[in-house]
Every structure is written in C-alpha cells, then in structure tokens.
C-alpha cells in the first residue's frame, strides 16, 4: 500500500500546468532582476506565494491578481500592454515574441545556458529575440553540450 501508485491515488491526478510569461517580462526589467518575485509581489500588493504559484504554472490567476501584476510591470517598463500578454490558455499570445512585446532588440532567455557550458536541448535552435517567454517553453530538463565552447 505504500507504493507510489497508492500515494498518487491519495493526492489525485496531476493537473496540467498553466501558461504565463511573467518571468520573461521580469527578466527585461532592472528592478526585478534581483529579488524579483519579492519586489514584484510587493509592488503589485499580492503575496509572494501567489506570484510564485502563478509563475510556476500551478494556478490560474484571478482577474484581480493579473491586473495588479500587469499594472506593476507596466509601471516599471513605462509601457502599456494587455494582460492577455501575460497569461495564455494554450501558450500562444497576441504578441508572439516577448522581445517584440517589450521593444527589446533581441535577447535570449536566461534558461538557455548553464554554468557548465551546456545548453537546454529545447533552446538549441532559438535565435535572439525569437522566443515567446512562456513558462512551459523549453520545459525539458535535458542539457546538451554547446559545440562551439571548449
């Protein structure tokens, strides 16, 4: 009775994770680059745990939560955008690429490489500026060596 199957039955079926690109938008700011979740939560007037659950995809946000986060990000970025640019039901957003949404000349997500000079397989073909920023984009935990780096 103590096997993983029995425990899974007690916790219920695993819920599908929800899509958002809050972390990618935060990465384009200076204020939220360090201690970003705590600062954004404080600026938005929400709890850090609510923001963390949203960013990890473990919850779907309420309108109030989403509007507060949007307002704080708009204030920091000095630009207006629709809250539909933050969350999505299927990983597709009105503005496909996060760099295009924020006026960035083109960058790569921080998840691309690691300190041991490897790259996530999911990002191997990604070009600067051409990534959506979705929290489930490149969700694979597999890494591959970067051939150019020795």
């Amino acid at each position: 009775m103590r096997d993983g199957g029995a425990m899974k039955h007690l916790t219920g079926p695993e819920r599908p994770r929800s899509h958002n690109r809050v972390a990618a938008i935060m990465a384009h700011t200076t204020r939220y680059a360090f201690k970003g979740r705590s600062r954004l939560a404080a600026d938005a007037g929400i709890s850090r745990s609510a923001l963390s659950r949203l960013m990890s995809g473990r919850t779907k946000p309420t309108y109030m939560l989403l509007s507060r986060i949007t307002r704080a990000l708009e204030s920091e970025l000095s630009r207006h955008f629709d809250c539909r640019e933050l969350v999505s039901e299927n990983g597709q957003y009105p503005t496909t690429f996060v760099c295009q949404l924020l006026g960035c000349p083109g960058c790569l997500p921080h998840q691309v490489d690691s300190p041991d000079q490897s790259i996530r397989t999911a990002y191997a073909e990604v070009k600067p500026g051409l990534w959506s920023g979705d929290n489930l984009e490149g969700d694979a935990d597999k890494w591959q060596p970067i051939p150019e780096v020795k």
Side-chain angles (χ1 to χ4, degrees), residues 44 64 66-76 81 86:
M64 186 180 353
L66 191 56
S67 66
R68 288 179 177 196
I69 294 169
T70 302
R71 213 171 324 141
L73 289 169
E74 285 177 334
S75 177
E76 175 61 23
F81 49 87
L86 293 180

Side-chain angles (χ1 to χ4, degrees), residues 112 119-125 138 140-144:
V112 168
I119 189 168
R120 280 190 192 264
T121 305
Y123 290 105
E125 303 298 322
D141 288 324
K142 297 179 182 171
W143 296 88
Q144 69 183 19

Side-chain angles (χ1 to χ4, degrees), residues 46-93:
I46 61 173
S47 69
R48 186 180 183 285
S49 62
L51 180 61
S52 293
R53 283 191 305 271
L54 168 67
M55 290 175 66
S56 67
R58 293 184 314 207
T59 186
K60 293 186 180 185
T62 63
Y63 175 76
M64 186 180 353
L65 180 79
L66 191 56
S67 66
R68 288 179 177 196
I69 294 169
T70 302
R71 213 171 324 141
L73 289 169
E74 285 177 334
S75 177
E76 175 61 23
L77 292 163
S78 300
R79 70 187 308 125
H80 176 72
F81 49 87
D82 192 303
C83 59
R84 292 177 297 165
E85 296 287 5
L86 293 180
V87 297
S88 169
E89 290 185 21
N90 59 6
Q92 296 179 335
Y93 300 90

Side-chain angles (χ1 to χ4, degrees), residues 30-43:
T30 53
R31 176 162 174 75
Y32 304 126
F34 179 70
K35 294 189 178 182
R37 289 185 187 201
S38 298
R39 288 182 178 183
L40 179 56
D43 291 352

Side-chain angles (χ1 to χ4, degrees), residues 28 62 92 110 120 126-127 132 150:
H28 282 84
T62 63
Q92 296 179 335
H110 70 278
R120 280 190 192 264
V126 173
K127 295 187 177 21
S132 74
K150 294 181 181 176

